[in-house]
Amino acid sequence: QVQLVESGGGLVQAGGSLRLSCAVAGVTLSSYTMGWYRQAPGKQRELVATITSGGRSDYADSVKGRFTISNDSAKNTVYLQMNSLKPEDTAVYYCNARGLTVVHFSPVNYWGQGTQVTVSS
């Protein structure tokens, strides 16, 4: 019943832009952290960017200055604006949401199924 709905992945040329969206459906969270992780073939999953319900954001060094994470608390949605894309950004991008449910204050941790981002050289 709880799903992280991801959209925006695709194929783009180097130097182009892409915008990812992730909405948490079926639950409302408070004191949350939402973010994006990515995994390329043969590599470990790595943090790309996170944002908290308090507005604090964090970025991997490799994407600072190029990617921007933002959120819409009313819609439990997080966005990742990716500019100046490079071939090394090619990976499956996973959305993550962690926090407390509003009704029962239960800790939860949800993952999306991933969306493919491919940057051609």
Side-chain angles (χ1 to χ4, degrees), residues 11-15 85-87 90 118-121:
L11 174 65
V12 66
Q13 295 184 31
L85 283 163
K86 305 175 181 179
T90 296
T118 302
V119 184
S120 62
S121 59

Side-chain angles (χ1 to χ4, degrees), residues 46-81:
E46 64 176 352
L47 169 72
V48 177
T50 60
I51 188 167
T52 70
S53 52
R56 180 177 180 177
S57 60
D58 188 35
Y59 298 90
D61 289 340
S62 60
V63 306
K64 287 180 179 177
R66 300 188 297 119
F67 291 9
T68 302
I69 190 169
S70 60
N71 65 346
D72 185 336
S73 297
K75 297 191 292 186
N76 290 336
T77 301
V78 64
Y79 306 92
L80 185 67
Q81 179 66 46

Side-chain angles (χ1 to χ4, degrees), residues 38-44 90-92 116-117:
R38 68 186 182 187
Q39 186 169 19
K43 291 192 173 183
Q44 298 292 116
T90 296
V92 177
Q116 178 70 47
V117 172

Side-chain angles (χ1 to χ4, degrees), residues 3-9 20-23 35-36 92-96 111-115:
Q3 290 186 326
L4 272 61
V5 182
E6 301 166 326
S7 63
L20 305 182
S21 300
C22 175
W36 293 93
V92 177
Y93 284 69
Y94 297 90
C95 181
N96 174 256
W111 287 91
Q113 291 187 321
T115 184

